[in-house]
């Protein structure tokens, strides 16, 4: 492969001149420019950014690990990340992992191999100990609370948020509380389940296995829950559902079958999604866009300054009172 | 920077042994492995993939240009792309351009600079002539019909699909047809508008400016359209809406105000989204996931084979008859 020195030699100009032509710098005579461009064409040379990265030690790229891009939660976090990345002129490499640990590890290996400058982990199948092993190679940030780890994090306190939501339902007089969750074994999901059980136990509220539903990811899953409730002898009075779109599906289907919301069944959602605003769904706003934006800003700052001190930032959440509770 | 030869020399082993240790190959004695790992630690060496790319001339990365990741249309196309990319062990670099032409150009420049192996353009602000200028540097595919260009494309015929949708409405006896569109000046949107005007004109159906609504991107925009219809003296009998989530917003809001769907107002959506299935919305399924998956497979094949012959693949669409027409 031809390099800049070789081009300069063949074209009979200085290396500086070649570099100026490559970078479209104005102060180059037309004759020299033509000589360089002809030589480049002869040698079929293209400025190779991989060589530039090799020299500067920076790639201008950050990888993002998330399981599914087409779920509201993840697409909004990605929106925040991508918006900030564009502002900072950083490239985002998206790994839609479907929670395959080996694929997530490959992304962390990219950090070790200096192919990227940092990794944002929105949600992961990996244990925190595994992620920590890579922090020597560059900054890593998760969008989950993993405690005082060697990598950074930006998160909402799912335990606290869920507890507050339950407290709100309890304050409204509900005693029979059901719960619809996405992926049962997700790390945030596990935290919410702990909060749920602890709250019911502390308040002496009934816990019933059939009021716990997992794998509620889509509007149609929510509708399925509504149908299963119809056949239930002893129904919960209220459901807390980790996603307004799932809550929307449930509400729409429940109303088709004559259930009144909130009189026959109250519903509390999560995420403050557009469909939730439209259906007047009481919800907990996690500020997901802000989480993505903050994750980018933190990791970008760490790349810029070379700091390896992990940052742990807790974000606010808020209960938005509407008509379904 | 230390290279493999230097490590081998210092560790007193062969280059092959160093390479085996780096790649976690099993056939290395514990003593030699320890020698290599110690040397690496001393030299603070990391296998540098930028050097690997420089040698192989391939990066294993494809860039994707799209305007907004958090819209259903784009997140589903991205899902298809990302799924295939994971299968092929290719990395996706996401550029959420917000239709900023200069940002989209930067991505194409990455192709010229050999930072990526190809570009998938899901939707763009760039003219086809500009995109064509980059086809010498590597394969490019768009998810729009741009005619017989020097870059590839995978697309549905928006004109034909829209025409068929209108024909379906017309066959059901509707004469007063309104239209809600996303970005007015998008290339697909422009095609649909031509189809709309041509159809009304051919069938002698009334065209009314106030029945044309643009910038309908979200559920809440759909709800806004419903409200504006309430005040309208002469309302359309049916609306064709380019997105089931927007149609859902409109239907939910319209029903709140006592409008019966389809008796008082019929609705036809696009994209066959989960919320549309739930609300029983008649729709045109564009097979968006398949479009993303096909785009990846085509460009990956071109990278693999080195072929520069553009591929133009038209995908099917289908009208799904449900309850809102």
């Amino acid at each position: 492969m031809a390099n800049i020195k070789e081009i300069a030699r063949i074209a009979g100009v200085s290396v500086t001149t070649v570099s100026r032509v490559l970078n479209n710098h104005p102060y180059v005579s037309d004759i020299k420019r033509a000589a360089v461009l002809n030589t480049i064409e002869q040698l079929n040379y293209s400025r190779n950014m991989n060589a530039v990265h090799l020299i500067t030690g920076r790639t201008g790229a950050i990888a993002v690990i998330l399981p599914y891009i087409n779920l509201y939660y993840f697409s909004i976090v990605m929106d925040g990340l991508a918006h900030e990345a564009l502002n900072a002129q950083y490239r985002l490499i998206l790994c839609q992992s479907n929670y395959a640990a080996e694929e997530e590890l490959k992304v962390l290996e990219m950090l070790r191999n200096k192919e990227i400058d940092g990794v944002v982990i929105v949600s992961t199948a990996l244990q925190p100990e595994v992620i920590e092993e890579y922090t020597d190679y560059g900054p890593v940030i998760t969008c989950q609370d993993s405690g005082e780890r060697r990598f950074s994090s930006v998160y909402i306190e799912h335990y606290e948020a869920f507890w507050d939501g339950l407290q709100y339902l309890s304050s409204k007089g509900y005693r029979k509380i059901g719960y619809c969750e996405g992926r049962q074994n997700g790390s945030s999901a596990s935290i919410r389940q702990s909060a749920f059980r602890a709250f019911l136990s502390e308040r002496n509220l009934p816990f019933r296995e059939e009021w716990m539903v997992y794998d509620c990811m889509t509007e149609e899953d929510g509708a399925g829950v509504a149908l299963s409730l119809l056949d239930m002898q002893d129904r919960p009075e209220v459901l807390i559902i980790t996603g307004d779109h799932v809550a929307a599906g449930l509400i729409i289907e429940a109303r088709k079958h004559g259930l009144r919301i909130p009189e026959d069944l109250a519903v509390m959602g999560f995420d403050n999604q557009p469909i939730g605003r439209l259906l007047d769904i009481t919800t907990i706003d996690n500020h997901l866009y802000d989480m993505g934006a903050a994750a980018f800003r933190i990791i970008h700052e760490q790349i810029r300054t070379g700091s390896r001190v992990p940052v742990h930032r807790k974000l606010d959440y808020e209960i938005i009172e509407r008509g379904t509770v």
Side-chain angles (χ1 to χ4, degrees), chain A:
Chain A
M1 189 196 65
N3 64 23
I4 290 186
K5 273 190 199 164
E6 200 177 336
I7 293 163
R9 191 177 52 76
I10 296 171
V13 301
S14 70
V15 167
T16 310
T17 302
V18 176
S19 170
R20 283 187 174 162
V21 173
L22 287 176
N23 290 293
N24 256 327
H25 198 289
Y27 302 117
V28 183
S29 74
D30 287 350
I31 291 174
K32 285 187 179 174
R33 189 182 299 275
V36 170
L37 292 176
N38 282 335
T39 307
I40 287 173
E41 207 170 307
Q42 280 165 33
L43 295 171
N44 195 19
Y45 174 86
S46 205
R47 185 172 52 135
N48 191 318
M49 287 307 288
N50 291 310
V52 173
H53 297 160
L54 201 56
I55 294 159
T56 62
R58 290 247 190 104
T59 64
I62 288 173
V64 179
I65 296 174
L66 51 76
Y68 325 105
I69 190 62
N70 67 334
L71 283 189
Y72 181 88
Y73 183 101
F74 297 114
S75 73
I76 293 291
V77 174
M78 191 71 194
D79 186 24
L81 280 162
H83 188 84
E84 291 294 320
L86 198 70
N87 280 345
Q89 291 294 305
Y90 245 78
R91 292 196 298 278
L92 291 184
I93 296 175
L94 172 66
C95 172
Q96 177 174 265
S97 71
N98 198 18
Y99 286 121
E102 69 276 16
E103 298 301 335
E104 299 180 2
L105 265 181
K106 281 178 193 159
V107 175
L108 287 167
E109 283 293 321
M110 288 171 66
L111 186 64
R112 178 143 77 133
N113 295 337
K114 299 185 187 302
E115 294 176 274
I116 49 179
D117 295 341
V119 180
V120 177
I121 301 178
V122 183
S123 184
T124 182
L126 297 174
Q127 295 302 312
E129 294 74 19
V130 175
I131 299 170
E132 279 187 316
E133 286 175 26
Y134 288 86
T135 53
D136 287 345
Y137 307 112
V140 177
I141 187 165
T142 63
C143 298
Q144 296 173 326
D145 179 15
S146 314
E148 290 294 316
R149 297 286 176 175
R150 294 212 304 274
F151 50 83
S152 298
S153 59
V154 50
Y155 60 94
I156 67 149
E157 266 278 22
H158 287 290
Y159 195 98
E160 196 184 305
F162 212 72
W163 188 281
D164 275 6
L166 292 166
Q167 196 144 315
Y168 174 76
L169 297 180
S170 176
S171 75
K172 293 283 179 180
Y174 296 104
R175 286 189 47 81
K176 294 159 72 175
I177 305 177
Y179 171 22
C180 298
E181 176 60 81
R183 207 173 56 110
Q184 179 170 6
N185 301 317
S187 71
S188 304
S190 302
I191 293 169
R192 286 189 292 259
Q193 286 164 58
S194 312
F196 186 73
R197 284 168 190 264
F199 184 86
L200 296 196
S201 163
E202 192 195 279
R203 303 296 170 98
N204 271 319
L205 298 176
F207 175 85
R208 296 276 298 274
E209 274 302 342
E210 71 259 44
W211 296 349
M212 307 279 283
V213 194
Y214 300 104
D215 298 317
C216 295
M217 312 293 271
T218 68
E219 291 87 341
E220 289 166 302
D221 293 334
V225 173
L227 291 176
S228 71
L229 286 177
L230 293 174
D231 298 330
M232 212 176 269
Q233 294 288 334
D234 186 16
R235 274 205 297 259
E237 298 158 346
V238 62
L239 282 171
I240 186 161
I241 302 177
T242 58
D244 284 342
H245 63 298
V246 178
L250 183 136
I251 290 170
I252 289 167
E253 191 66 29
R255 283 186 176 147
K256 276 187 202 164
H257 297 274
L259 282 184
R260 294 164 306 158
I261 314 286
E263 296 82 357
D264 300 324
L265 179 69
V267 175
M268 174 168 230
F270 266 83
D271 301 345
N272 191 18
Q273 300 181 21
I275 187 71
R277 294 197 281 275
L278 207 64
L279 286 170
D280 203 32
I281 299 177
T282 298
T283 193
I284 298 179
D285 189 345
N286 280 330
H287 301 158
L288 296 172
Y289 179 94
D290 295 344
M291 186 155 73
F296 184 87
R297 285 196 301 264
I298 291 169
I299 201 165
H300 185 233
E301 178 71 7
Q302 292 192 315
I303 293 166
R304 224 178 42 76
T305 61
S307 164
R308 283 300 200 297
V309 182
V311 174
H312 300 289
R313 186 165 307 158
K314 185 170 127 173
L315 297 183
D316 288 339
Y317 60 84
E318 57 187 317
I319 295 174
I320 299 181
E321 300 192 54
R322 297 203 186 106
T324 59
V325 168

